[in-house]
Amino acid sequence: MRNKFSETLAKIANKNKKIYIVVSDISPAGKMETFQKKHSKRFINVGVAEQTMIGVCAGLAASNKIPFAYTIATFSLFRPFEMVRDDLCYQNLPVTIVGMGAGTIYSTLGGTHLTQEDISIVRSLPNMKILAPCDPLELEQCIKYCVQNKNGPIYLRMGKSGEKNLTSDALEKWQFGKIRKIKNGSHFCILSYGPIMKKAFEINEILKNKNKSSAIYSCHTLKPFDEEKIKKIFQTFKTIITIEDHSLIGGLGNIIQQLAYKFKFNKKIISFGLKDKFMHVYGDQENLFEKHKISSKYIKNYIKKNL
């Protein structure tokens, strides 16, 4: 996804001279190097100074520019949080904060590099919008929206590398603020976002073997959330499954549970997400998922036994 981000933004920046990338301690490698070479005056590396990164972006936005603050998710949001809140949200400035490698993607680097609670935190900030694409194709659409956005800050939560396109045959087009149907199904509904969406497709294959089918929806816009679409989903399905690489507190699972209460949905909701616990595991991402009980194996076994 990070290559798609740099590649897409560089192309748009060829025509739009207002676009800036402000990075914090990120070397301009790969596709990012293309942007730096072509638009060197609009590529700013502030070094290990994330608070400055947000402040510079605030100034650029106030000067009618289109800035993207870009670094690893935990450092783009947590370290400069006061500036995100006061410089961007309080002033309602159109800055895109890019959280690259969000969730547990940087599993081998430990808890300091994980953002297992970022959506919960950002959702509570007034004026902030949240985008979390599931694949490079959705990311491209998100970037185009961010470039056009003139109303308040956006947190763009994305993966890192190696993500495959899952939405090539999506049944609905990407649209800001709208839950998007990716695949038809009649027995179950799976809601997800971000790269972990791939597990939804794995589950669908299991259900096929049981002569059942699951509809798959991408909840790429987590704030504002599409209440009208979720109301229709409640009216259509008796079992809803949520899968997310985020804490079960304040994430998609919580959003669905709150709306279920609001719309009086009293059927089954099953939520898979990160536990409210720091796991001292330094293996690959699937090792961490095993500890949080959202590994592919665990979800598959749960589905077989309970659905």
Side-chain angles (χ1 to χ4, degrees):
M1 279 192 181
R2 61 182 177 184
N3 280 345
K4 173 61 74 172
F5 169 79
S6 303
E7 181 182 74
T8 301
L9 206 57
K11 286 181 180 178
I12 299 174
N14 288 335
K15 297 180 180 179
N16 193 328
K17 307 302 181 183
K18 292 184 177 182
I19 294 174
Y20 282 73
I21 295 182
V22 185
V23 304
S24 176
D25 196 33
I26 293 288
S27 61
K31 300 293 183 178
M32 187 65 77
E33 188 176 11
T34 301
F35 188 101
Q36 187 197 33
K37 287 181 176 179
K38 285 188 174 182
H39 316 293
S40 59
K41 293 183 179 180
R42 291 184 278 149
F43 180 91
I44 303 170
N45 191 339
V46 300
V48 187
E50 290 82 358
Q51 295 91 338
T52 301
M53 176 182 68
I54 298 300
V56 168
C57 283
L60 288 168
S63 303
N64 199 32
K65 306 301 182 184
I66 305 172
F68 287 75
Y70 177 85
T71 190
I72 296 172
T74 187
F75 304 117
S76 70
L77 181 65
F78 294 159
R79 186 170 288 172
F81 184 76
E82 181 183 3
M83 289 70 193
V84 170
R85 180 182 183 273
D86 296 346
D87 292 359
L88 305 187
C89 294
Y90 187 74
Q91 309 295 336
N92 201 26
L93 291 172
V95 172
T96 300
I97 302 170
V98 182
M100 184 270 291
T104 59
I105 288 175
Y106 278 96
S107 59
T108 57
L109 299 183
T112 58
H113 283 61
L114 306 184
T115 50
Q116 64 191 63
E117 63 282 87
D118 54 338
I119 291 169
S120 177
I121 292 170
V122 177
R123 277 182 63 215
S124 66
L125 288 173
N127 295 325
M128 182 70 83
K129 297 183 281 289
I130 305 173
L131 293 173
C134 71
D135 67 358
L137 291 175
E138 282 199 341
L139 175 61
E140 186 173 3
Q141 296 301 316
C142 289
I143 293 168
K144 291 177 181 178
Y145 174 82
C146 291
V147 169
Q148 297 298 320
N149 171 59
K150 291 180 172 59
N151 183 30
I154 296 173
Y155 177 53
L156 176 57
R157 188 187 207 253
M158 69 182 211
K160 182 186 175 186
S161 59
E163 296 89 357
K164 295 181 180 179
N165 285 320
L166 304 171
T167 61
S168 301
D169 301 317
L171 298 175
E172 295 177 346
K173 293 182 179 181
W174 188 95
Q175 192 175 356
F176 174 79
K178 301 295 182 182
I179 294 174
R180 180 189 190 193
K181 182 186 282 189
I182 306 300
K183 194 175 184 62
N184 273 325
S186 56
H187 295 88
F188 307 97
C189 170
I190 302 177
L191 305 174
S192 189
Y193 62 90
I196 201 171
M197 173 76 81
K198 65 182 180 181
K199 292 186 184 296
F201 288 84
E202 294 174 5
I203 291 171
N204 193 51
E205 289 302 312
I206 295 170
L207 295 176
K208 277 184 180 179
N209 295 332
K210 300 180 73 172
N211 295 318
K212 295 181 179 180
S213 61
S214 61
I216 300 176
Y217 290 84
S218 171
C219 299
H220 52 75
T221 305
L222 290 160
K223 186 184 177 185
F225 199 76
D226 188 358
E227 294 192 12
E228 288 303 312
K229 187 64 166 281
I230 204 66
K231 187 177 181 180
K232 292 178 181 178
I233 289 172
F234 286 155
Q235 294 168 348
T236 305
F237 298 95
K238 294 182 178 179
T239 299
I240 295 174
I241 299 170
T242 67
I243 304 174
E244 58 188 321
D245 184 12
H246 182 273
S247 172
L248 287 169
I249 298 174
L252 178 61
N254 264 186
I255 294 172
I256 300 305
Q257 290 161 6
Q258 290 165 3
L259 293 176
Y261 178 81
K262 178 177 180 178
F263 295 123
K264 296 180 172 56
F265 176 78
N266 56 7
K267 302 299 190 294
K268 184 179 287 188
I269 299 174
I270 304 169
S271 295
F272 294 100
L274 304 178
K275 294 183 178 299
D276 181 29
K277 185 176 181 181
F278 289 114
M279 300 292 185
H280 298 276
V281 176
Y282 300 93
D284 63 23
Q285 191 178 25
E286 200 63 25
N287 293 146
L288 200 53
F289 283 162
E290 286 176 9
K291 291 292 184 180
H292 283 282
K293 294 189 175 180
I294 55 172
S295 66
S296 298
K297 182 179 180 181
Y298 180 86
I299 295 177
K300 288 177 184 178
N301 289 337
Y302 186 94
I303 295 294
K304 288 178 181 178
K305 291 178 181 178
N306 296 279
L307 297 178

